[in-house]
Amino acid sequence: MTGRRDFLSQPAPENYVAGLGRGATGFTTRSDLGPAREGPSEDQIKEALAKRAAQLGFSDAVAGKKKDQEDDDANDERYQDPDNEVGLFAGGIYDKDDDEADQIWREVGEKMDKRNKRKREEREQAEREEYERKNPKISQLFADLKRGLGSVTEEEWAALPDVGDLTGKNKRARLARHQRHYAVPDSVLAAASSMGELGTTVADDGNASASASKSGNDGTVTDFAKIGQARDKVLQVRLDQASNNGTSTTSGSATSVDPKGYLTSLAKSQLPQATAEVGDINRVRELLGSVIKTNPDNGPGWIAAARLEEVAGKIVAARNVIARGCDHCPNSEDVWLENIRLNDQRNARIIAANAIKKNNRSITLWVEAMKLEDDARSKKKVIRHALDHVPESEALWKEAVNLEESSEDAKLLLAKATELIPGSVDLWLALARLESPENAQKVLNRARKHCPTSHEIWIAAARLQEQLGQGDKVNVMKRAVQVLVKESAMPKREDWITEAEKCEEEQALITCGAIIRETLGYGLDEDDDRKETWLADARGSINRDRCETARAIYAYALRVFPTSKTVWSAAADLERNYGKVEDLWQVLEKAVNAVPHSEDLWMMLAKEKWKAGEVNSARKVLGRAFKQNPNNEDIWLAAVKLEAENAQTEQARGLLKQARQEAPTDRVWMKSAAFERQLTNLDEALDLVQQALNLFPAYAKLWMMKGQLYEDLSKKPQAREAYATGVKAVPSSVPLWLLYARLEESMGLLPKARSVLDRARLAVPKSPELWCEAVRLELRAGDVKQAESLMERARRDVPKTKQGLLWAEKIWHLTEPRQRKSRAIDAVKEADNDPVLLPAVARIFWAERRLDKAQVWFERALVRDSDLGDSWAWYYKFLVEHGTPDKRDDVIKKCVASEPRHGEVWQRVAKDPKNARKSIEEILKIVATEVH
């Protein structure tokens, strides 16, 4: 028990304010009759605290505490400098071990942060998208309704009553206000009297004011052509913004602006000097005058005042101001440099001499004085005087060496410079480049002793060995990595790749490969995603046109992952696109030896042999592939294709028969039937399809082929039965439903076709192909309103990311020509640059004869999805009319390299038995004539 009473029963201290310790000083509510009283001032609070402390007998402690706090505040700075430690670490020294420990912990932190970076970013992106999907903006919910307001006429707007004005009283009062009359000011009468006169003054933009009457600025003439051009330009800008997903996006009536981009645009929209207002200049002049008066030693203030006078066109005043600044700030380099800039060359030399007298160790002033001289002799004289005052300046030595015309004199200067500045890597490398190979090796050895942490010197030594023809014998980079790791000066992997690319640029290919070989794995552990990291590094080098570096990266990755099909395929793609055919064969031979059970690599090698005309070699490759991968359907079909392409029909048929026995898969049976169909042996093909369906009744392509064979035989009832049975067996096959519906339409049974498509949408919901076919069916039947209704239902049912086909159909067949561009803006926003939509947008510009924009959108579609054959066909059709022969040949070459396989028209043409043996170029030209 203590003698102190409970504080709740004690009287409150004088001037006590409840909650004062947490910052509360009183508040008011709506029930208060007057404002809240003002809280006590700072002086009152201090006085109350001192009085309370005196009553409790703590006045000395408060004073001592205040003094200790002041002492602690005064000593806080000692904890900011690690070299000024006191207390426990007063005798400690920050040595190399401490630095190495700090670097190790820093690398550990970076590695731990990098390990889960990609997963974390993906999770955050998914959470952000989920939140935006569940919590859409109000403007997005009402965007369709807002667009619908565009169809409201002016009469309907005028007929809308005001809120709460059902009687029309307010409307009558408003009309009465509009009928009031006022006195016309004299200025209006004066302007009306001079309306027909011609002025002779010149406006700010340099055009005579008399042209105003010609342009119809009084409102009597309206240029509708210009208004239309402006409207098209605005729509084009909005379309580009929507396609590029820029920083400013519009949805409904809401606009989100990137703050950084907005500030950047403001910084770029400054007024030119000629439009500076006189009043603004005077206000700034007064402000800067106050700055230099209150603080005359402030160099930036003098510089700003001088530049203000320069902007105002008073160059003499600017020179006077900066001269006064030099008097007040004689040790400021910037002020002297500004004075030199504002004066002519003759006066600038005098000013530079005075500046150097005040600042004889200023490297910038010495260099500026050297630049003011005209002849080389005077420049050398100035630089040598500078070196007398600042002999340890690397920049001055570089300037002196650059002024020398003789390599011998330059070597003498560099030899002296390296003695005075042994830690300068650039000076050592410059001296090594000027020396002979033998002396250069000695120079680099001395440089490594003085600069043991410089990787540039090691790279220069490796390049020197390559020049001497010993690049493969002496592994300089291996020794370099050991020394740099020991010295804790090992650069990052990205920096080494950059150095390797520099060596490749300068044709030092052996050094480039050595750098990659010795440094690419540094900093990556086995638990890191090394393969993806190295593949990304190689792709980056390829994008920068550094193929040798990419080859070295792939070679190193294959030594670590010798059985990776992904790395082998990437290396083969590099040789296919940028190398020779022999190099490609060599890479693929190594690949099939390293991964003998990969049928993709075997077929890739056989294909490259066949494309080069080596048919027998291709057969041998496939024979070796059979031994390594027996009964593999891909290799069987590749062998069949090889024989079929070379007109070896019987051999191809025999291979297919053997394949059906040894590898009886649904795909082998389907290819067998397709082969007979291509040879117009329809009965044999139909028999093979029937046998295959007995084995594989759930394979949709067999049902489609059966129906097509009956159609080829002009047996449409049997074809209908085949399709009907097929959709029951495989209800999820969209192409099968489409063939069924088109057959019914071709037989003139439109209700039956509609019924088939309705059943298809129930079996395969949210399919854009089925909805689009239903719309086209109604358009072919002439029922436009029903087609529009189906289109709106389709847009509600199909996800927005898959609506590209629907938007393309709506833009070109359900929209008037003058409204297509605005529809395209909405389509690009909602469909997110769907590859099917982009050619439709390009065709809009094509129709408007805006050929450059059309070409940009066609190329954008190809970049988005190069596997879409219809995009290639549209682009080629465009170039046939408006392109050059070289451009058409380039597009054909790229299309052949991409080998497109998809597209509505492309698939129909490519799979036609008549086009079975045609090349991709021939199919491209056929599709280009059929797309519309």
Side-chain angles (χ1 to χ4, degrees):
M1 293 296 291
T2 60
R4 184 176 177 85
R5 295 178 295 172
D6 186 10
F7 72 97
L8 293 176
S9 61
Q10 294 181 4
E14 186 178 358
N15 293 331
Y16 172 76
V17 178
L20 180 61
R22 62 177 184 273
T25 58
F27 56 92
T28 59
T29 63
R30 294 182 61 87
S31 61
D32 294 330
L33 298 178
R37 59 186 177 89
E38 184 179 1
S41 63
E42 185 178 357
D43 296 336
Q44 292 176 344
I45 293 173
K46 291 181 179 179
E47 182 179 356
L49 292 175
K51 186 174 181 181
R52 178 61 177 170
Q55 293 176 355
L56 298 175
F58 297 136
S59 58
D60 296 337
V62 171
K65 180 179 180 182
K66 186 181 299 183
K67 183 176 181 180
D68 293 340
Q69 184 177 1
E70 292 176 356
D71 294 338
D72 292 341
D73 294 340
N75 292 331
D76 281 344
E77 294 297 327
R78 64 182 180 176
Y79 300 109
Q80 306 300 323
D81 187 5
D83 295 332
N84 191 23
E85 295 283 358
V86 297
L88 181 60
F89 300 100
I93 299 177
Y94 191 79
D95 55 5
K96 186 185 297 184
D97 293 337
D98 296 329
D99 183 39
E100 181 180 3
D102 292 341
Q103 184 175 358
I104 291 173
W105 282 110
R106 184 162 52 253
E107 291 176 355
V108 169
E110 293 177 356
K111 180 178 177 182
M112 295 300 294
D113 181 67
K114 183 178 62 177
R115 175 173 297 178
N116 297 322
K117 181 178 180 181
R118 185 175 61 182
K119 294 182 179 179
R120 184 174 64 252
E121 291 178 351
E122 292 177 355
R123 186 180 68 256
E124 292 176 354
Q125 180 68 17
E127 292 176 355
R128 190 181 306 110
E129 293 176 355
E130 180 68 16
Y131 177 79
E132 293 177 355
R133 185 179 64 82
K134 292 183 178 179
N135 301 279
K137 296 182 179 179
I138 298 298
S139 58
Q140 295 176 352
L141 298 176
F142 292 93
D144 296 338
L145 298 177
K146 290 181 180 179
R147 281 195 294 268
L149 294 177
S151 61
V152 180
T153 61
E154 295 184 1
E155 292 78 7
E156 292 175 345
W157 277 111
L160 292 175
D162 293 338
V163 179
D165 184 22
L166 301 180
T167 62
K169 178 179 179 182
N170 295 337
K171 186 174 182 181
R172 291 194 297 272
R174 184 168 63 253
L175 294 175
R177 286 199 303 271
H178 290 169
Q179 293 177 356
R180 293 181 182 178
H181 301 282
Y182 301 92
V184 180
D186 295 340
S187 59
V188 177
L189 298 177
S193 64
S194 61
M195 182 177 297
E197 298 179 358
L198 296 177
T200 58
T201 60
V202 178
D204 293 337
D205 57 357
N207 298 323
S209 61
S211 63
S213 61
K214 297 180 182 179
S215 62
N217 290 336
D218 56 349
T220 58
V221 179
T222 303
D223 193 347
F224 291 100
K226 292 185 177 180
I227 293 176
Q229 293 174 1
R231 176 179 173 274
D232 292 342
K233 187 174 182 180
V234 171
L235 288 173
Q236 175 57 33
V237 170
R238 292 176 58 193
L239 190 61
D240 290 338
Q241 290 176 348
S243 65
N244 295 329
N245 292 327
T247 57
S248 178
T249 58
T250 306
S251 177
S253 61
T255 304
S256 60
V257 181
D258 182 11
K260 295 183 180 179
Y262 180 67
L263 295 177
T264 305
S265 62
L266 287 181
K268 293 181 180 178
S269 62
Q270 296 178 354
L271 293 174
Q273 295 180 358
T275 60
E277 296 291 341
V278 177
D280 295 338
I281 292 177
N282 291 333
R283 286 193 294 270
V284 177
R285 183 182 289 119
E286 293 177 1
L287 178 62
L288 293 176
S290 175
V291 170
I292 59 180
K293 285 180 181 178
T294 56
N295 188 7
D297 297 332
N298 184 14
W302 290 103
I303 295 173
R307 290 184 179 177
L308 175 66
E309 301 298 338
E310 183 185 9
V311 170
K314 299 180 179 180
I315 189 63
V316 177
R319 291 172 181 171
N320 294 332
V321 170
I322 201 64
R324 289 162 47 206
C326 292
D327 295 337
H328 286 86
C329 306
N331 297 325
S332 175
E333 292 182 358
D334 296 333
V335 176
W336 285 107
L337 291 173
E338 185 69 15
N339 196 359
I340 293 172
R341 186 185 67 84
L342 291 175
N343 284 271
D344 54 14
Q345 186 176 10
R346 181 172 175 274
N347 293 330
R349 291 177 183 173
I350 301 174
I351 295 170
N354 294 331
I356 290 173
K357 290 179 181 178
K358 301 290 185 180
N359 305 273
N360 59 0
R361 296 186 63 83
S362 174
I363 299 171
T364 308
L365 291 176
W366 280 110
V367 173
E368 190 66 26
M370 180 269 293
K371 292 179 180 178
L372 292 173
E373 300 296 336
D374 295 328
D375 56 318
R377 181 180 179 183
S378 300
K379 291 179 182 289
K380 293 179 182 179
K381 185 178 180 180
V382 172
I383 286 296
R384 287 172 182 172
H385 280 297
L387 290 173
D388 291 339
H389 289 85
V390 195
E392 69 278 3
S393 172
E394 180 180 349
L396 292 178
W397 282 107
K398 289 181 179 179
E399 293 290 343
V401 172
N402 291 333
L403 291 174
E404 295 295 337
E405 298 177 357
S406 172
S407 59
E408 295 298 329
D409 295 338
K411 284 194 289 185
L412 293 175
L413 285 176
L414 287 171
K416 184 64 176 177
T418 52
E419 291 179 5
L420 295 174
I421 316 173
S424 174
V425 177
D426 294 337
L427 294 178
W428 283 110
L429 294 178
L431 179 58
R433 281 192 292 268
L434 293 176
E435 292 285 356
S436 61
E438 293 77 10
N439 294 333
Q441 194 167 1
K442 297 178 182 178
V443 169
L444 291 175
N445 289 333
R446 296 203 311 269
R448 287 204 301 267
K449 294 179 181 178
H450 291 93
C451 305
T453 61
S454 173
H455 66 278
E456 294 92 347
I457 295 176
W458 286 102
I459 294 175
R463 295 186 58 180
L464 179 61
Q465 294 298 328
E466 182 178 357
Q467 293 175 4
L468 295 174
Q470 299 179 358
D472 295 329
K473 299 178 181 179
V474 181
N475 194 348
V476 177
M477 291 310 303
K478 183 176 182 180
R479 174 63 178 163
V481 171
Q482 295 174 355
V483 173
L484 291 174
V485 171
K486 183 178 179 181
E487 295 291 336
S488 300
M490 186 70 175
K492 295 182 180 179
R493 189 188 73 259
E494 293 81 3
D495 299 334
W496 282 116
I497 294 176
T498 303
E499 294 293 341
E501 292 177 353
K502 291 180 181 178
C503 292
E504 179 184 353
E505 185 179 3
E506 297 173 2
Q507 299 303 316
L509 302 183
I510 296 178
T511 304
C512 170
I515 291 174
I516 296 298
R517 184 172 60 253
E518 300 297 337
T519 63
L520 191 63
Y522 178 77
L524 294 177
D525 296 334
E526 294 183 359
D527 54 348
D528 294 328
D529 200 354
R530 295 183 295 173
K531 182 164 62 175
E532 294 298 329
T533 302
W534 291 335
L535 290 176
D537 294 337
R539 287 192 295 267
S541 297
I542 293 173
N543 294 334
R544 293 186 290 270
D545 294 331
R546 297 291 176 261
C547 298
E548 288 297 332
T549 305
R551 285 191 183 94
I553 294 174
Y554 284 139
Y556 183 85
L558 289 172
R559 282 196 294 271
V560 180
F561 303 102
T563 60
S564 174
K565 294 188 293 184
T566 305
V567 181
W568 282 113
S569 299
D573 291 337
L574 174 63
E575 299 300 338
R576 182 184 298 109
N577 297 325
Y578 301 98
K580 300 178 182 179
V581 178
E582 293 77 9
D583 296 335
L584 176 58
W585 291 353
Q586 185 179 3
V587 170
L588 289 175
E589 284 288 351
K590 294 179 180 178
V592 296
N593 292 329
V595 194
H597 298 293
S598 174
E599 64 274 7
D600 295 334
L601 295 176
W602 284 107
M603 290 190 295
M604 195 181 300
L605 177 58
K607 182 179 180 181
E608 295 299 332
K609 294 278 188 179
W610 172 67
K611 288 171 63 177
E614 300 286 341
V615 179
N616 292 328
S617 298
R619 290 193 180 101
K620 293 179 181 179
V621 169
L622 290 176
R624 292 163 53 196
F626 276 124
K627 295 179 181 178
Q628 298 292 338
N629 302 272
N631 301 330
N632 185 280
E633 72 169 14
D634 292 327
I635 298 178
W636 277 109
L637 296 178
V640 171
K641 184 177 181 181
L642 177 64
E643 300 299 339
E645 292 291 341
N646 290 279
Q648 301 294 329
T649 306
E650 294 301 326
Q651 294 183 9
R653 184 180 283 115
L655 286 173
L656 283 171
K657 183 177 180 180
Q658 187 177 358
R660 291 197 300 271
Q661 296 174 356
E662 298 184 7
T665 63
D666 50 4
R667 189 158 166 254
V668 170
W669 280 95
M670 187 268 296
K671 290 291 183 179
S672 300
F675 179 73
E676 297 296 340
R677 185 187 179 192
Q678 293 171 7
L679 298 176
T680 66
N681 299 326
L682 301 182
D683 294 332
E684 290 82 353
L686 189 60
D687 183 60
L688 288 172
V689 168
Q690 191 59 48
Q691 296 180 39
L693 285 174
N694 294 331
L695 299 173
F696 310 101
Y699 193 50
K701 290 186 178 181
L702 292 173
W703 291 107
M704 287 187 280
M705 186 172 292
K706 183 178 181 180
Q708 290 171 342
L709 286 170
Y710 277 124
E711 290 188 58
D712 294 340
L713 293 171
S714 300
K715 298 180 179 180
K716 292 189 176 181
Q718 289 85 346
R720 175 195 292 172
E721 183 181 357
Y723 290 143
T725 308
V727 296
K728 292 179 181 178
V730 194
S732 60
S733 175
V734 174
L736 188 57
W737 284 106
L738 294 177
L739 288 174
Y740 190 12
R742 288 168 186 169
L743 176 65
E744 297 291 352
E745 183 184 4
S746 66
M747 297 174 67
L749 303 175
L750 290 180
K752 183 65 175 177
R754 293 190 183 99
S755 175
V756 169
L757 290 175
D758 291 340
R759 290 164 51 201
R761 292 197 299 273
L762 292 176
V764 189
K766 303 183 185 300
S767 173
E769 292 84 3
L770 294 175
W771 279 107
C772 187
E773 184 65 23
V775 172
R776 291 173 180 173
L777 178 65
E778 300 301 336
L779 288 176
R780 290 192 291 266
D783 194 347
V784 179
K785 289 188 176 181
Q786 180 64 18
E788 292 178 349
S789 175
L790 286 173
M791 180 61 71
E792 294 303 320
R793 289 173 56 194
R795 289 185 52 210
R796 289 193 295 269
D797 182 66
V798 178
K800 290 186 177 181
T801 56
K802 298 181 180 180
Q803 291 185 7
L805 180 62
L806 298 174
W807 275 110
E809 187 70 22
K810 181 175 183 179
I811 290 171
W812 278 98
H813 298 98
L814 295 175
T815 305
E816 297 181 4
R818 56 189 177 87
Q819 296 180 352
R820 286 174 180 168
K821 189 176 292 186
S822 59
R823 285 284 185 272
I825 294 175
D826 298 335
V828 172
K829 290 179 183 177
E830 292 193 12
D832 192 20
N833 289 333
D834 191 284
V836 181
L837 172 64
L838 298 180
V841 179
R843 291 162 56 197
I844 296 175
F845 294 112
W846 185 3
E848 295 178 354
R849 311 295 295 177
R850 303 182 64 178
L851 305 181
D852 294 338
K853 297 296 295 182
Q855 183 173 350
V856 169
W857 279 84
F858 277 128
E859 292 177 353
R860 188 177 297 173
L862 298 179
V863 172
R864 187 75 175 179
D865 186 5
S866 61
D867 193 49
L868 194 63
D870 291 0
S871 300
W872 289 102
W874 274 114
Y875 192 24
Y876 181 78
K877 185 175 183 178
F878 169 79
L879 293 176
V880 169
E881 295 186 15
H882 306 289
T884 61
D886 294 338
K887 188 66 176 177
R888 288 194 292 271
D889 295 339
D890 182 60
V891 169
I892 292 174
K893 182 179 178 181
K894 292 181 179 178
C895 181
V896 172
S898 299
E899 297 183 1
R901 297 182 180 180
H902 295 88
E904 285 187 279
V905 184
W906 184 275
Q907 286 183 316
R908 174 166 53 82
V909 173
K911 294 185 178 181
D912 192 335
K914 301 177 182 178
N915 306 322
R917 298 184 180 179
K918 291 184 178 179
S919 63
I920 295 179
E921 179 179 354
E922 294 173 331
I923 294 175
L924 174 65
K925 293 179 180 179
I926 296 174
V927 176
T929 59
E930 294 193 10
V931 291
H932 58 277

